[in-house]
Amino acid sequence: MSFWTRHQVFEKNSIILIVGILAVIAIGGLVEITPLFYLKSTIEVVDGIRPYTPLELTGRNIYVREGCYLCHSQMIRPLRDEVERYGHYSLAAESMYDHPHQWGSKRNGPDLARVGGKYSNDWQRDHMRDPRAVVPSSIMPGYAFLSKTPVNGAHLTEQMRLLRVVGVPYSDEQIDNATVDLAAQAASDDAGGADLQKRYPNAVLGDVAGKSSVTEEDALIAYLQHLGISVDFKLYDDKANIR
Amino acid sequence: MSVDNLHDSKIRIDEHSGTPTTGHEWDGIEELNTPLPRWWVWTFYATVIWSLAYCVVYPAWPLLHGATEGVLGWHSRAAVVQDIADLQATRAPILAKIKDAPLDSIEQNPELLAAARTVGRVAFLNNCAACHGAGAQGAKGYPNLNTDAWIWGGKLADIKTTIEHGVRWDADKQTRVSSMPAFGRDGILTPAQVSDVADYVRTMADLPDAIAPETKGEKLFNENCAACHGVNGEGNREVGAPNLFDAVWLYGSDKAVVVNRVNQGGGGVMPAWKGRLDDTTIKALTVYVHSLGGGQ
């Protein structure tokens, strides 16, 4: 029997054909993906990356829920124009606690990988409620309803435990204090702010003091204000991480 | 008889097209064995050769402890570092002049002014325009930078300090700080008193629909507001207290707006840009903002 005759086995039996297709694709997957799990050079060793605070994590859930990644990337590519506009190119380490990552692939809006600290909370609030009030040419939809929706922290500790299973190093202390930390970060005059910053260095405190409840808008802004600020690129060695 | 022979036996020349058939036959339906166009086949071979060459020249195959490096030794991260270095080398002569020139002298030198305005404008559009507007016209709560109504001062040095350290930006220890008390929210003034003060402020500004000044409004103003905003409402840039009688209103001049500001106090927040932008860019940005029309 010639080679072509044997090939008829695949052509004439759909189950065998499917198994064959899966086997061929799996080879591609093994070659392209598996090394990323064992090669030490995949994720840079940098200081400053910490798991998200409960408020940031809640905001991140809203970011995912609202599909922000459909129009905003979080991936500054190592290209001159991108580095010029957005800042240092993104490192793998910067999204190592993201499950799933929010790199995105579409830029109807600007990249958000380093939006943290670029604008004030007030601006984020004005912009979220009515983007065209501050940026007349914006095509972003308004998300005013976020400011009227209290955050739902019901599954916060479960989510943190789940993330721990997949490798995010949340401590028992962090998980036990999730609800306290969420409230503390939202209201900057809360005494719990110091405890929070001990558990999560560089956590930016919010400014919702005086409001009756923490809203989804507050959480989303806390998340945005944390994006891209963890690594101190003055200390980062570009040459050591060339690849 | 093998299947191949079975097919071979069915290969025939199609009478309509003159092309041979494949020999496959399913329920009387046959298939023409039209050869692929020659150009397509050669392009295909070329891409195969290209991909093999690519594997040799560029980083390609993962190994146990790394990956093949490629004979060119090219890395995307090294390439961007080189690109940025080349860019900086191109800009270096003029940027070095901006860097070395005293801040006050840049506007006297047409060449430096033009360069600083170009660099400053790009930085402005990327970083500042979201709040202050693409034309620096400002928006409600975000100051217009084309006027001479400066909250923290319109001299070059003042503008530079504001850009570097921001306003009420907690992460920067040298940020500009002032905090107008929340007269209403914190119960310093009663709602009636807040209303009187608001009326008085609007009278001071000569607004067409202002209600005639009341003595108690003036008294309340002098007791609570004049320390920062001045007896005549002329403001004080040392503490970031805006002028209250000019035509520029950061949040609006309606009575409800003025009442709300007196009730809530506080003020806007501007991020600190030192560290985020390099010093030369901040210098250029300072000159750009200063040259927009309101510079002092």
Side-chain angles (χ1 to χ4, degrees):
Chain A
M1 278 209 303
S2 77
F3 175 76
W4 296 113
T5 317
R6 288 173 199 225
H7 198 262
Q8 288 192 5
V9 175
F10 290 100
E11 291 187 27
K12 291 181 175 175
N13 187 325
S14 61
I15 298 297
I16 295 178
L17 180 65
I18 287 170
V19 172
I21 290 171
L22 287 175
V24 170
I25 293 174
I27 292 170
L30 284 170
V31 172
E32 291 194 348
I33 299 170
T34 319
L36 299 178
F37 287 99
Y38 67 80
L39 288 182
K40 287 200 172 52
S41 59
T42 304
I43 298 181
E44 310 84 356
V45 180
V46 288
D47 290 332
I49 311 287
R50 60 153 173 80
Y52 291 108
T53 66
L55 187 65
E56 290 159 10
L57 188 62
T58 307
R60 191 177 178 280
N61 290 344
I62 294 156
Y63 187 94
V64 177
R65 182 190 75 194
E66 298 302 330
C68 304
Y69 59 88
L70 292 166
C71 291
H72 291 284
S73 58
Q74 285 185 27
M75 166 56 70
I76 303 166
R77 294 172 291 182
L79 298 172
R80 190 184 89 179
D81 58 324
E82 300 213 357
V83 173
E84 277 269 287
R85 176 170 176 187
Y86 298 117
H88 198 284
Y89 57 80
S90 295
L91 304 181
E94 288 180 291
S95 46
M96 68 179 168
Y97 296 145
D98 281 12
H99 295 281
H101 67 71
Q102 296 297 302
W103 297 341
S105 60
K106 190 100 166 66
R107 283 189 187 153
N108 288 359
D111 186 276
L112 299 180
R114 303 213 183 280
V115 80
K118 190 169 183 183
Y119 308 116
S120 64
N121 288 351
D122 288 340
W123 183 88
Q124 293 284 9
R125 212 161 273 142
D126 288 347
H127 182 255
M128 211 67 82
R129 290 173 193 181
D130 179 10
R132 274 153 298 284
V134 280
V135 184
S137 57
S138 173
I139 55 167
M140 176 171 134
Y143 289 86
F145 63 93
L146 294 177
S147 66
K148 301 186 188 80
T149 322
V151 294
N152 178 359
H155 301 292
L156 194 55
T157 50
E158 281 98 326
Q159 192 188 0
M160 289 167 80
R161 282 206 191 88
L162 182 67
L163 287 169
R164 186 156 72 175
V165 171
V166 294
V168 181
Y170 279 118
S171 65
D172 288 337
E173 189 198 355
Q174 286 172 325
I175 294 176
D176 292 344
N177 288 289
T179 319
V180 182
D181 283 345
L182 186 139
Q185 188 175 9
S188 58
D189 61 349
D190 196 307
D195 286 343
L196 169 87
Q197 283 173 328
K198 227 175 283 166
R199 285 192 274 273
Y200 302 92
N202 293 326
V204 180
L205 297 177
D207 50 6
V208 296
K211 277 207 301 190
S212 54
S213 63
V214 182
T215 64
E216 296 194 332
E217 185 185 71
D218 302 324
L220 183 56
I221 290 173
Y223 168 65
L224 292 173
Q225 295 290 30
H226 180 65
L227 287 179
I229 62 167
S230 299
V231 177
D232 185 349
F233 282 98
K234 284 194 202 73
L235 308 176
Y236 175 75
D237 185 359
D238 266 325
K239 296 220 165 54
N241 285 297
I242 275 177
R243 55 194 57 143
Chain B
M1 191 166 69
S2 78
V3 184
D4 272 4
N5 292 340
L6 187 73
H7 282 171
D8 291 345
S9 68
K10 289 189 178 172
I11 291 177
R12 61 183 184 81
I13 304 295
D14 175 55
E15 62 269 25
H16 298 294
S17 58
T19 310
T21 65
T22 57
H24 298 168
E25 186 259 308
W26 305 87
D27 298 338
I29 298 171
E30 291 174 282
E31 194 181 5
L32 292 181
N33 190 10
T34 311
L36 288 162
R38 193 60 65 85
W39 67 265
W40 192 97
V41 175
W42 285 111
T43 308
F44 176 68
Y45 291 152
T47 58
V48 172
I49 293 165
W50 178 272
S51 67
L52 293 175
Y54 193 98
C55 289
V56 176
V57 172
Y58 285 104
W61 292 95
L63 306 169
L64 279 178
H65 302 285
T68 56
E69 296 265 321
V71 292
L72 285 187
W74 183 91
H75 300 278
S76 60
R77 290 183 173 187
V80 72
V81 168
Q82 185 59 44
D83 281 351
I84 298 279
D86 291 348
L87 179 73
Q88 278 165 352
T90 313
R91 292 174 182 167
I94 194 74
L95 287 186
K97 281 189 201 165
I98 293 176
K99 187 172 178 226
D100 295 337
L103 189 56
D104 293 330
S105 72
I106 294 176
E107 291 184 347
Q108 269 71 57
N109 180 331
E111 184 204 16
L112 285 189
L113 177 61
R117 279 185 53 97
T118 308
V119 174
R121 188 180 136 75
V122 172
F124 187 89
L125 289 175
N126 186 3
N127 299 291
C128 318
C131 292
H132 291 289
Q137 74 277 17
K140 188 186 163 196
Y142 307 100
N144 182 332
L145 303 177
N146 299 306
T147 71
D148 53 8
W150 297 93
I151 298 173
W152 294 97
K155 297 192 177 69
L156 282 163
D158 297 332
I159 296 172
K160 185 155 178 275
T161 304
T162 307
I163 295 173
E164 281 181 340
H165 302 293
V167 179
R168 302 182 189 90
W169 189 252
D170 296 339
D172 190 306
K173 297 216 166 30
Q174 298 174 60
T175 191
R176 293 192 183 274
V177 181
S178 76
S179 189
M180 175 166 147
F183 288 97
R185 196 178 70 208
D186 292 348
I188 303 167
L189 298 176
T190 64
Q193 287 173 320
V194 170
S195 171
D196 285 346
V197 168
D199 278 339
Y200 180 72
V201 168
R202 299 182 81 247
T203 316
M204 219 186 260
D206 253 347
L207 291 172
D209 62 338
I211 293 166
E214 295 192 32
T215 329
K216 56 180 175 176
E218 181 175 356
K219 185 165 175 288
L220 287 168
F221 184 88
N222 288 338
E223 285 170 0
N224 295 286
C225 319
C228 292
H229 289 285
V231 179
N232 301 314
E234 68 274 15
N236 181 353
R237 289 173 185 176
E238 291 297 312
V239 294
N243 179 313
L244 297 177
F245 60 71
D246 62 15
V248 179
W249 295 83
L250 187 54
Y251 296 92
S253 61
D254 290 349
K255 175 153 182 202
V257 175
V258 178
V259 166
N260 186 40
R261 294 313 305 169
V262 179
N263 275 333
Q264 303 299 328
V269 174
M270 170 171 155
W273 295 92
K274 197 175 173 69
R276 209 174 169 106
L277 300 176
D278 65 73
D279 289 347
T280 311
T281 305
I282 288 181
K283 214 166 170 183
L285 196 50
T286 303
V287 172
Y288 175 74
V289 171
H290 188 258
S291 70
L292 285 171
Q296 291 168 342

